[in-house]
Amino acid sequence: ERLPMTCPFCRHPVMKNEAECHLHTMKRVKANDPFACYQAGMRRFSASDYATAIEYFDKAIELGDIESHHLLSIVYKNGHGVQRDIKKVTYHLEKAAIGGHPIARHNLGWGEHDKGNIDRAVKHFIIAAKLG
């Protein structure tokens, strides 16, 4: 007989459907799991519920999630449910880059390139390349 599929980390049985997955995620959000907050934010973002997504991303950031900083930079750059705000884009990119997010570092490099700061851009690109 085959053993049931379980999470390799917590040995909890794998969720069977979307509703079960959502319940588990929300349980983890209540327990202040930063990745669960990020997942909940992505779920709301995909459903075009940007206001709720931003709330979840903000909570994930408070709990130390770097990916949420990067995603908020995209939200503010494209104006998803908020006013476009370049200062907030730069702020969230810088926080994500400082936290080790390679794409955020790369995007900062392009921002410096567009401003004509080629030396700074190259430094960002080199750091991004080293991060992977």
Side-chain angles (χ1 to χ4, degrees), residues 55-71:
E55 289 175 19
Y56 283 122
F57 292 145
D58 283 337
K59 183 174 181 177
I61 286 169
E62 288 174 17
L63 298 168
D65 184 61
I66 298 304
E67 184 65 34
S68 292
H69 269 298
H70 179 248
L71 285 166

Side-chain angles (χ1 to χ4, degrees), residues 44-103:
R44 298 315 321 144
F45 186 84
S46 296
S48 299
D49 180 4
Y50 302 120
T52 307
I54 290 169
E55 289 175 19
Y56 283 122
F57 292 145
D58 283 337
K59 183 174 181 177
I61 286 169
E62 288 174 17
L63 298 168
D65 184 61
I66 298 304
E67 184 65 34
S68 292
H69 269 298
H70 179 248
L71 285 166
L72 279 180
S73 75
I74 294 168
V75 166
Y76 285 109
K77 180 180 181 191
N78 297 326
H80 291 296
V82 294
Q83 193 77 349
R84 293 179 72 184
D85 188 334
I86 298 304
K87 288 183 181 181
K88 287 185 179 181
V89 171
T90 304
Y91 170 80
H92 288 293
L93 280 177
E94 287 175 349
K95 289 294 188 177
I98 289 167
H101 196 284
I103 297 170

Side-chain angles (χ1 to χ4, degrees), residues 11-29:
R11 304 290 184 228
H12 189 274
V14 175
M15 272 53 83
K16 294 177 179 76
N17 55 46
E18 186 66 25
E20 203 174 297
C21 185
H22 177 72
L23 286 174
H24 179 71
T25 300
M26 297 316 292
K27 179 181 173 187
R28 297 301 315 142
V29 167

